[in-house]
Amino acid sequence: MFSQEKKIQLQKHKTPFYFYDFGLLQKTLSVINTESKKYNYHVHYAFKANTNLKIIEVVKNSGFGADCVSGNEVKCAIENGFKNSEIVFAGVGKSDDEINYALDQNIFCFNCESIQELEVINELANLKSKVAQIALRINPNVDAYTHKYITTGLEENKFGINPYEFETVIEKLKNLPHLKLIGLHFHIGSQITDLSPFKKLCTRVNEINNYFLNKGFDLPIINVGGGLGINYHEPDNEAIVDFEAYFKLFYDFIEIRKNQQLHFELGRSVVGNCGSLISRVLYIKNGINTNFAILDAGMTELIRPALYQAFHKIENISSIEEEIVKYDIVGPICESSDCFGKAVELPITKRGDFIAIRSAGAYGEVMSSKYNLRDDVRSVCF
Ligand code: LLP
């Protein structure tokens, strides 16, 4: 629950809007820096989680690199002061235009996801007489035990190069002189709250790292992606994830050589709990078992509940009532899936009340849409 002072401040703004708590963001970034620097680890911020320019600026000032998944994200990183030499570019479907742009910008590394992509980057780099630094995005076949839409490291997922393709890749690389293989990249999924899948990932990384060494590739970069989950149920009690345990796990279980750097790509755990979607109740309507509270924000502002059945804590930040009633919290969009939560217990809620949908800092604003010709969503930071 927000402080009284914050609640009053939030009620001064026109809804719906994203509120970003910069105090919490700064604190989170500082914990990540402290914990990762203990082991000399390098952290890239996963742009896909939130590209609000005010957030990006704070992240950049904390010294993070950028993990991008589109040409426009690479452009956004460069235009907002991230060093070209600290930008990585992943994605299963990089277009020729995007690759050409990233080649022109001399980014640090392309994380390549298929054999054909290796050939295309080599060809485009050749036309520019350049050598592109690449890492192989490997599908390690490790189950992240998270929602099926955000699991990425299983054989059945579209991401990465499978171990049975390694021999072919190594053969191919011999004839691709415009590529320089500098690393291995992994990412097993997102919103992983139990650390054990990361332990399994370390074991797989060790095996694969050794395999490549035996084949004559002493690669300087190992990138283990992101995926660390946040506490959506208790955003105040655990506002910042246990980064100490997370980085220590890698220190304990990954076997990297002295000449190798360990890289991370964190998104949700950096910005997730710093953001809330603030909305007002337009109408209260009687339902059969519960009442509906119809908000002025919907799935167009925050699609996670509709898309992944994701849980977000919902609070009434203006009611002074004591009696608790259950509400289905829905948006104004013409879709039945436009629902933020069912049978949510709130103090008696009326038209005009302010509702906070918490932990919406990651994959919230960035995934908003114009469906139903909705206005662009605004944001407020303090
Ligand atoms: N690296 C790669 C290659 C990724 O694909 C992702 C996220 C990340 C890093 C950052 O992962 P994070 O630390 O944020 O878990 N829209 C979904 C999440 C999609 C995640 C996509 N990849 C959601 O709202 O839950």
Side-chain angles (χ1 to χ4, degrees), residues 97-157:
D97 283 351
E98 290 178 312
I99 294 169
N100 277 324
Y101 173 74
L103 285 169
D104 290 339
Q105 297 300 325
N106 300 316
I107 62 160
F108 175 62
C109 189
F110 291 83
N111 293 333
C112 296
E113 307 228 9
S114 67
I115 295 178
Q116 197 166 33
E117 184 189 335
L118 295 173
E119 292 168 340
V120 170
I121 298 180
N122 180 71
E123 193 182 308
L124 297 173
N126 181 18
L127 292 173
K128 293 178 185 292
S129 306
K130 289 195 168 190
V131 174
Q133 298 207 113
I134 62 146
L136 300 175
R137 164 128 186 218
I138 311 265
N139 185 340
N141 202 12
V142 171
D143 198 335
Y145 297 107
T146 183
H147 192 282
K148 65 177 187 304
Y149 287 179
I150 49 177
T151 288
T152 50
L154 285 178
E155 218 168 72
E156 68 214 45
N157 298 130

Side-chain angles (χ1 to χ4, degrees), residues 20-232:
Y20 297 114
D21 179 339
F22 269 25
L24 179 57
L25 177 61
Q26 295 277 13
K27 232 178 175 171
T28 309
L29 292 165
S30 137
V31 172
I32 297 174
N33 268 332
T34 308
E35 297 304 328
S36 61
K37 286 193 170 134
K38 280 185 186 166
Y39 313 108
N40 248 330
Y41 293 161
H42 294 245
V43 180
H44 290 90
Y45 168 63
F47 261 53
K48 64 179 83 61
N50 192 322
T51 40
N52 183 298
L53 295 183
K54 292 175 217 147
I55 291 211
I56 284 177
E57 158 113 54
V58 181
V59 172
K60 180 204 67 190
N61 291 340
S62 297
F64 288 46
D67 159 40
C68 302
V69 285
S70 71
N72 284 341
E73 282 190 3
V74 174
K75 192 156 178 265
C76 178
I78 291 170
E79 285 176 356
N80 288 285
F82 282 79
K83 292 192 194 113
N84 302 41
S85 59
E86 288 177 6
I87 296 176
V88 297
F89 182 14
V92 280
K94 303 176 187 78
S95 73
D96 293 19
D97 283 351
E98 290 178 312
I99 294 169
N100 277 324
Y101 173 74
L103 285 169
D104 290 339
Q105 297 300 325
N106 300 316
I107 62 160
F108 175 62
C109 189
F110 291 83
N111 293 333
C112 296
E113 307 228 9
S114 67
I115 295 178
Q116 197 166 33
E117 184 189 335
L118 295 173
E119 292 168 340
V120 170
I121 298 180
N122 180 71
E123 193 182 308
L124 297 173
N126 181 18
L127 292 173
K128 293 178 185 292
S129 306
K130 289 195 168 190
V131 174
Q133 298 207 113
I134 62 146
L136 300 175
R137 164 128 186 218
I138 311 265
N139 185 340
N141 202 12
V142 171
D143 198 335
Y145 297 107
T146 183
H147 192 282
K148 65 177 187 304
Y149 287 179
I150 49 177
T151 288
T152 50
L154 285 178
E155 218 168 72
E156 68 214 45
N157 298 130
K158 69 178 175 183
F159 301 98
I161 294 170
N162 291 295
Y164 59 78
E165 296 173 293
F166 288 171
E167 297 261 340
T168 320
V169 168
I170 288 169
E171 268 315 297
K172 269 255 142 62
L173 283 173
K174 288 181 188 158
N175 299 316
L176 302 174
H178 293 273
L179 300 184
K180 182 176 180 202
L181 179 60
I182 61 163
L184 302 174
H185 174 229
F186 303 82
H187 174 77
I188 54 172
S190 199
Q191 186 48 20
I192 301 167
T193 46
D194 162 16
L195 293 182
S196 59
F198 292 118
K199 193 171 157 190
K200 279 194 202 130
L201 172 65
C202 289
T203 310
R204 289 295 287 141
V205 171
N206 295 341
E207 288 163 9
I208 296 167
N209 194 12
N210 277 333
Y211 172 92
F212 276 89
L213 184 66
N214 289 334
K215 295 284 179 185
F217 293 94
D218 189 2
L219 304 169
I221 310 293
I222 298 294
N223 181 335
V224 287
L228 181 60
I230 60 168
N231 191 337
Y232 280 96

Side-chain angles (χ1 to χ4, degrees), residues 272-307:
N273 268 337
C274 306
S276 298
L277 176 61
I278 309 294
S279 170
R280 287 186 88 171
V281 177
L282 291 173
Y283 303 103
I284 297 292
K285 191 172 146 173
N286 294 333
I288 293 176
N289 296 316
T290 58
N291 296 321
F292 291 104
I294 302 168
L295 307 186
D296 62 5
M299 62 192 289
T300 40
E301 284 67 47
L302 178 66
I303 201 175
R304 303 192 69 258
L307 193 57

